[in-house]
Amino acid sequence: MYVKEVTVQNQVGLHARPATFFIQKANEFKSSIWVEKDERRVNAKSLLGVLSLGIVGGTDIRIIADGLDEQLAVDSLVRLVENGFTE
């Protein structure tokens, strides 16, 4: 299991469009991936799950992965969040 914490940089947070980019990136990996906010954990590959967290700009989240490509998955998703959900 590999975990990193990151602060959401963009102002709107993880809503429809950025959440879609996040999920698409998460689905590129074989590992199981979760997003955690305030002790609530959801599947990072689920749009409804990610949106249900209500993540806004400035929020700290944890990205957790477990599997063969866990470190690459977490590092890629952290980079995406840090760059404001642009490649």
Side-chain angles (χ1 to χ4, degrees):
M1 187 172 291
Y2 187 72
V3 181
K4 272 195 176 178
E5 191 163 304
V6 64
T7 302
V8 176
Q9 300 296 323
N10 67 327
Q11 288 194 316
V12 296
L14 208 50
H15 291 285
R17 189 178 181 118
T20 300
F21 293 143
F22 186 85
I23 289 150
Q24 286 172 342
K25 179 60 80 177
N27 276 302
E28 293 177 11
F29 302 98
K30 294 188 184 308
S31 293
S32 296
I33 307 170
W34 301 274
V35 179
E36 196 171 80
K37 174 193 162 204
D38 300 331
E39 304 306 315
R40 189 156 166 250
R41 184 183 288 190
V42 300
N43 183 346
K45 298 179 182 182
S46 163
L47 181 59
L48 193 56
V50 171
L51 290 175
S52 74
L53 290 177
I55 298 167
V56 296
T59 301
D60 291 329
I61 60 171
R62 265 194 304 279
I63 301 173
I64 305 152
D66 191 22
L68 294 172
D69 54 2
E70 61 190 28
Q71 188 168 350
L72 181 60
V74 169
D75 290 343
S76 294
L77 290 166
V78 165
R79 205 166 28 256
L80 185 69
V81 172
E82 289 175 339
N83 291 330
F85 301 97
T86 58
E87 289 287 340

